[in-house]
């Protein structure tokens, strides 16, 4: 699934979708102008691009998924595999320059 708005050239966006795959530094995926668009991308990334390649159905049936939103409505999704490796996708507000 291609990124809807790549980081390069995404001017004016205020929300970034990032992911953390156990053992690797956090990486930015895409930027968005609205919370809704960023949260939608976060769900797609979390369920369809998981590091184990198992997909949405497997994740929902076989993993405990923690879904949280902060006071701004920014989404964080987290799960772990059976060996304790964590997969997290989160939406954060970008600092305006």
């Amino acid at each position: 699934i291609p990124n809807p708005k790549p980081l390069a050239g995404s001017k004016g966006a205020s929300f970034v979708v990032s992911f953390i795959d156990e053992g690797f530094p956090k990486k930015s995926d895409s930027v968005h102008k609205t919370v809704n668009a960023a949260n939608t991308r976060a769900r797609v990334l979390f369920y369809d691009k998981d590091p184990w390649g198992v997909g949405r159905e497997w994740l929902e049936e076989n993993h405990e998924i923690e879904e949280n939103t902060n006071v701004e409505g920014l989404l964080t999704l987290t799960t772990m595999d059976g060996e304790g490796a964590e997969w997290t996708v989160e939406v954060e507000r970008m600092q305006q320059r």
Side-chain angles (χ1 to χ4, degrees):
I1 298 171
N3 295 345
K5 294 189 181 206
L7 288 172
S10 295
K11 296 179 183 176
S14 56
F15 303 97
V16 63
V17 178
S18 301
F19 61 94
I20 305 165
D21 186 359
E22 187 75 23
F24 296 96
K26 180 173 15 177
K27 292 186 179 180
S28 296
D29 172 74
S30 55
V31 289
H32 304 269
K33 292 182 180 181
T34 67
V35 172
N36 187 49
N39 285 347
T40 297
R41 175 60 187 166
R43 283 189 176 89
V44 168
L45 182 63
F46 182 82
Y47 288 108
D48 298 338
K49 295 290 188 176
D50 69 272
W52 310 295
V54 296
R56 176 183 294 270
E57 187 174 318
W58 176 264
L59 283 175
E60 289 176 341
E61 291 177 5
N62 296 288
H63 291 272
E64 184 175 324
I65 297 169
E66 187 176 318
E67 182 173 323
N68 294 303
T69 54
N70 69 10
V71 294
E72 293 181 283
L74 305 179
L75 180 64
T76 300
L77 295 153
T78 302
T79 193
M80 290 187 181
D81 72 1
E83 298 174 7
E86 188 174 298
W87 169 238
T88 299
V89 175
E90 62 187 6
V91 177
E92 299 173 294
R93 177 180 290 279
M94 292 178 64
Q95 297 297 323
Q96 298 298 320
R97 295 182 184 188

